[in-house]
Amino acid sequence: MGIETTLLGTGNPVPSPERAGASTLVRAAGKHFLVDAGRGVTMRLAAAGALPVMLDAVLLTHLHSDHICDLNDVITTHWVMSAQPATLQVIGPPRTAEVVDACLAMLAPDIAYRLAHHEDLTWEPRVEVLEITGASVPFDRDGVTVRTAATDHRPVEPTVGYRIEHEDASVVLAGDTVPCPGVDDLCRGADVYVQTVLRDDLVRAIPMPRFRDTIDYHSSVEQAAMTAARSGVGTLVLTHQVPTPAPDAADEWVALAAAHFAGRIVWGEDLTVVGC
């Protein structure tokens, strides 16, 4: 298996007892990449057989709270589990450094307590931030490449999607976005395409403008399927579903995608694993 993708959290901003917040783990050639860091991410990492100390990079698609709210837990756990000074790399759009600095400021009392208590812990958390926009290659090491492209989640901007490649395998993680040229570029010929999806028919039925506002900056199930078909994707993975699906609704959602995409469609639930 060239690349293994584990959906750590498939939930949306509305808390669910069954679904953690938006986060995905990608393993390739011994490298571990965490894409987004939503609610409960470290618990789901542990369930997937990984820990923050194993991460080669955290890749943030955008800075909405449901995608970064447990980044502080990733930073803390990476720090306290490291046997010697180690740096956590965080890659994301502009203002990522601001978010990381705020996390460290919030953690300042905890950092002081642990330094005072543990004689062998003599360094503070080390986080290296790389801010990116548009097309770039922020990681290229040991046969594993990560490249990015601009996505469209306006008014949240800029936002980025990621394509992780190893040998002949490739996985795209687009995050929250509507169809756009950047997503098409990342998806072209990809083995796996992981996409946040929304059911606009269900969201429109919710009597609250704040919920209906989400329609114009997420891909619908049908749009994600059309992107997959247009780009020659092998497998489409439906994740971070909006609204939270009913327990028996998977077939209905998948059927909407299958009407536009003839390839493999994977219904995303927490700890679903997709290989390529």
Side-chain angles (χ1 to χ4, degrees):
M1 185 182 295
I3 302 179
E4 181 182 272
T5 301
T6 303
L7 305 181
L8 300 177
T10 58
N12 56 57
V14 179
S16 165
E18 306 297 331
R19 294 173 180 265
S23 56
T24 305
L25 175 67
V26 180
R27 295 176 169 108
K31 305 295 184 189
H32 293 71
F33 301 95
L34 176 65
V35 183
D36 291 331
R39 183 184 295 124
V41 62
T42 55
M43 295 173 66
R44 288 293 191 264
L45 273 172
L51 293 168
V53 73
M54 300 165 63
L55 297 175
D56 291 273
V58 177
L59 313 177
L60 301 179
T61 60
H62 66 293
L63 304 178
H64 253 150
S65 61
D66 59 312
H67 290 251
I68 62 169
C69 62
D70 271 6
L71 179 61
N72 62 302
D73 196 11
V74 175
I75 291 171
T76 299
T77 309
H78 179 274
W79 173 51
V80 298
M81 293 193 70
S82 296
Q84 56 188 6
T87 299
L88 177 66
Q89 183 174 35
V90 178
I91 299 169
R95 302 193 71 182
T96 296
E98 180 182 339
V99 168
V100 169
D101 288 345
C103 283
L104 292 171
M106 179 269 289
L107 291 167
D110 175 76
I111 293 169
Y113 301 148
R114 295 183 189 278
L115 290 173
H117 186 82
H118 303 292
E119 290 187 1
D120 68 325
L121 190 58
T122 58
W123 64 92
E124 296 188 1
R126 300 182 178 186
V127 185
E128 177 184 289
V129 175
L130 175 63
E131 296 187 340
I132 54 174
T133 58
S136 67
V137 182
F139 188 98
D140 187 0
R141 194 183 310 154
D142 300 328
V144 179
T145 301
V146 178
R147 66 184 184 90
T148 70
T151 59
D152 186 354
H153 193 40
R154 289 174 290 177
V156 183
E157 60 179 337
T159 58
V160 293
Y162 296 88
R163 178 172 173 136
I164 299 174
E165 301 171 326
H166 172 57
E167 296 180 343
D168 296 328
S170 55
V171 173
V172 173
L173 305 108
D176 294 2
T177 181
V178 296
C180 64
V183 175
D184 284 351
D185 178 59
L186 289 177
C187 285
R188 194 165 293 114
D191 294 296
V192 176
Y193 164 40
V194 182
Q195 179 61 63
T196 295
V197 290
L198 176 145
R199 284 275 302 272
D200 53 2
D201 58 324
L202 299 180
V203 174
R204 289 184 194 281
I206 299 172
M208 186 175 183
R210 197 172 305 151
F211 279 93
R212 292 196 291 271
D213 285 345
T214 63
I215 292 172
D216 66 4
Y217 67 174
H218 290 95
S219 289
S220 68
V221 177
E222 295 88 347
Q223 287 174 325
M226 286 186 275
T227 295
R230 182 171 59 249
S231 302
V233 167
T235 297
L236 169 63
V237 182
L238 308 178
T239 192
H240 190 9
Q241 303 95 344
V242 182
T244 302
D248 57 352
D251 289 347
E252 182 180 326
W253 287 64
V254 169
L256 292 173
H260 301 276
F261 176 60
R264 179 189 179 205
I265 301 170
V266 174
W267 174 247
E269 296 182 349
D270 287 19
L271 299 178
T272 296
V273 178
V274 181
C276 64

